[in-house]
Amino acid sequence: MTMGLLIVAAAAASTPQAAVSAAMAESAAGWNAGDLARFTAIYAPDAVYVAGDKVVQGKPAIAESYAKSFVAGRNTRGRLSFQPLAWRPLSAVHVLHVARWTLTPSGAAPQTGLTTLLFERRKDGWRIISDHSS
């Protein structure tokens, strides 16, 4: 399924939680396929990303911060998966999603952490407007 078709399918999902889950799965699939644009399609143009001591503003800057992990059509950091931990609707157009991310490099121990994502429903589907990952 192409990214555009999946975004439409995710936006048409029966519940916000189902739509966000589909968008998260598509983002992880992009990471695992080594496709930076597909991985970052989930971010709104004006998203904010916080990790460690850095704050990155805007989808292009977020993509740039991840670009070093994408080399020759693959991701160099390992396979990405998400495990949902908490879900909280905040309004008709905002939801809070907390998940555990896991990176499983080939032949190395997995790395794991937490991410708190604020999603906003936009014309093109549910998009991350704030990502705090540790």
Side-chain angles (χ1 to χ4, degrees):
M1 184 177 276
T2 66
M3 180 179 65
L5 290 176
L6 189 56
I7 289 171
V8 170
S14 61
T15 66
Q17 191 169 4
V20 166
S21 293
M24 294 286 292
E26 176 61 13
S27 181
W31 177 281
N32 295 334
D35 185 338
L36 178 61
R38 186 175 166 197
F39 169 67
T40 59
I42 197 169
Y43 287 95
D46 56 341
V48 175
Y49 172 71
V50 178
D53 64 350
K54 69 179 177 178
V55 176
V56 181
Q57 297 186 332
K59 183 176 176 176
I62 293 168
E64 184 179 320
S65 73
Y66 279 111
K68 62 185 172 288
S69 297
F70 291 80
V71 178
R74 67 182 190 92
N75 189 288
T76 61
R77 295 180 59 200
R79 183 164 186 77
L80 176 64
S81 63
F82 294 106
Q83 175 189 6
L85 300 175
W87 173 266
R88 182 175 188 170
L90 302 174
S91 72
V93 297
H94 293 99
V95 296
L96 185 68
H97 181 69
V98 178
R100 176 169 300 284
W101 58 264
T102 301
L103 281 174
T104 308
S106 179
Q111 300 171 319
T112 188
L114 298 173
T115 187
T116 302
L117 305 170
L118 179 58
F119 279 85
E120 183 174 77
R121 186 188 327 224
R122 298 204 169 174
K123 289 180 183 178
D124 58 347
W126 287 94
R127 295 290 177 259
I128 295 170
I129 60 171
S130 180
D131 174 347
H132 184 229
S133 295
S134 59

